[in-house]
Amino acid sequence: MNQYDTTAPALGALRARVWESVTAFDEAATIAAVLRALEDGMGAEELLLDVLAPVQGRVGREWAAHRLTVAQEHAATALSERAVTAVALHPSVRPAPTRGRVTVACVDGEWHALPARLLAEVLRIRGWRVDFLGARVAAPHLVAHLHRTGPDAVALSGTLGTRLPAAHATVTACQALGTPVIVGGAAFGSGGRYARLLGADAWAPDARAAADELARRPLPRPRPGHQALDDLPHLRDQEYTLVARSRPQLVGAVFRGLEHDCPAWRGSGDVGRERGAEDLSLLVEYLAAALYTGDEDLFVGHLLWTAGILDARGVPATAFLPAALRLLERELRDFPRATATLRAGAARLTRTPLTAAGTTE
């Protein structure tokens, strides 16, 4: 077998071929391209992480910039997942396990499963026995699996910041069994800031770094008797709990206020208002997550991302977001941390240039 050319131009050309076939929804061409690369000598790990992962990242950016529809993004993602499966099932990519056992799962409520799948396959390639549990794994189900299998570690993936409270509960539940947890994904913030905040035993910025970390040394065993509140004493003020529980009522109140006060909202039509209601609900979820972590930047970042998405779709961010923030502040006037977070978001919204391509979610 020849050594595959992994120089930047060669990798770029392969990514371009895979991108063209994925966005043309040509499954045969996509699978043929990745299998040909394997047969020509490209390593499976490099193919997964240096070709398929960047292509999928581009799918997300193109959707954010409104150059792919939701349906096109879903179809491209499904095709990327099938390409990963084709690589994983190739006879040259199925080594016998020589290391320990790792459980790989997504946080409860997290439906972006491809990053976790990539990690699972990289770990298998490197000789680990891997249990990949997929998307949206509730903590009780994960704990039951750990009782049965006794892995050396759990690798937990999360993309959406709204799932950080669920991630914290999952990390704490795994650690209560004595199982260390390594986390990764955009949900855990730049540099893993929320991973440390929520008491994870390790954090990695990507699948390659996570596999390296697990190979370097056994993760430290969790400290006994650890409780979630030990990490986040500010939760004693109950703001997070009250905002999270009242999300439907808050969304309804803001919706009605926009109907009354915001001409742009009223003129957006039934479909526009329905999508706007979804944006409002997610905005409140991010506000709750910011209250949970005690970090207003979590909410502000999502607010700016939402504004960029709206602008890319021809809906000026000023059409309803400032009014929505004012209405939320009015509803939450007795919640000092919540109102301070909303004001910080409003201030950033008025002074930050917004482009969907330049934001991430």
Side-chain angles (χ1 to χ4, degrees), residues 10 18 67 69 75 333:
V18 174
R67 292 188 286 267
T69 67
R333 56 188 175 274

Side-chain angles (χ1 to χ4, degrees), residues 166-234:
H168 195 195
T170 300
V171 168
T172 303
C174 293
Q175 291 173 335
L177 296 181
T179 306
V181 182
I182 182 171
V183 300
F188 295 98
S190 176
R193 61 195 293 188
Y194 303 126
R196 292 187 295 274
L197 181 71
L198 303 184
D201 300 289
W203 166 82
D206 53 47
R208 184 172 281 126
D212 289 345
E213 179 69 20
L214 289 169
R216 186 175 298 114
R217 57 181 172 78
L219 293 182
R221 288 293 163 180
R223 61 190 188 274
H226 175 231
Q227 300 295 320
L229 199 60
D230 297 337
D231 300 319
L232 305 172
H234 58 263

Side-chain angles (χ1 to χ4, degrees), residues 23-257:
T23 52
F25 315 121
D26 189 336
E27 182 173 358
T30 301
I31 302 304
V34 298
L35 294 184
R36 188 179 308 117
L38 277 177
E39 291 159 5
D40 287 346
M42 187 174 195
E45 181 174 322
E46 288 72 24
L47 182 55
L48 292 171
L49 300 185
D50 299 331
V51 177
L52 292 176
V55 166
Q56 182 59 29
R58 185 177 175 186
V59 168
R61 292 191 299 275
E62 292 296 294
W63 169 81
H66 202 39
R67 292 188 286 267
L68 289 178
T69 67
V70 171
Q72 289 171 324
E73 182 272 331
H74 284 2
T77 298
L79 187 45
S80 292
E81 291 171 344
R82 291 197 288 276
V84 171
T85 299
V87 173
L89 294 178
H90 193 272
S92 67
V93 191
R94 298 187 67 80
T98 57
R99 299 188 179 188
R101 187 170 193 164
V102 179
T103 295
V104 180
C106 293
V107 175
D108 190 9
E110 175 61 67
W111 61 86
H112 296 89
L114 189 56
R117 173 73 189 283
L118 289 169
L119 172 60
E121 298 307 336
V122 168
L123 290 174
R124 286 194 182 105
I125 290 166
R126 295 198 185 188
W128 293 89
R129 182 179 179 184
V130 178
D131 301 321
F132 175 59
L133 305 189
R136 304 177 69 177
V137 181
H141 300 309
L142 177 55
V143 166
H145 179 79
L146 301 185
H147 274 296
R148 288 193 300 270
T149 59
D152 298 283
V154 169
L156 193 63
S157 176
T159 300
L160 299 172
T162 56
R163 307 318 302 159
L164 285 172
H168 195 195
T170 300
V171 168
T172 303
C174 293
Q175 291 173 335
L177 296 181
T179 306
V181 182
I182 182 171
V183 300
F188 295 98
S190 176
R193 61 195 293 188
Y194 303 126
R196 292 187 295 274
L197 181 71
L198 303 184
D201 300 289
W203 166 82
D206 53 47
R208 184 172 281 126
D212 289 345
E213 179 69 20
L214 289 169
R216 186 175 298 114
R217 57 181 172 78
L219 293 182
R221 288 293 163 180
R223 61 190 188 274
H226 175 231
Q227 300 295 320
L229 199 60
D230 297 337
D231 300 319
L232 305 172
H234 58 263
L235 292 180
R236 291 187 176 90
D237 68 9
Q238 294 293 301
E239 285 203 30
Y240 159 72
T241 301
L242 294 170
V243 169
R245 288 178 178 174
S246 61
R247 178 166 58 92
Q249 292 81 7
L250 288 169
V251 172
V254 173
F255 190 101
R256 292 188 295 273

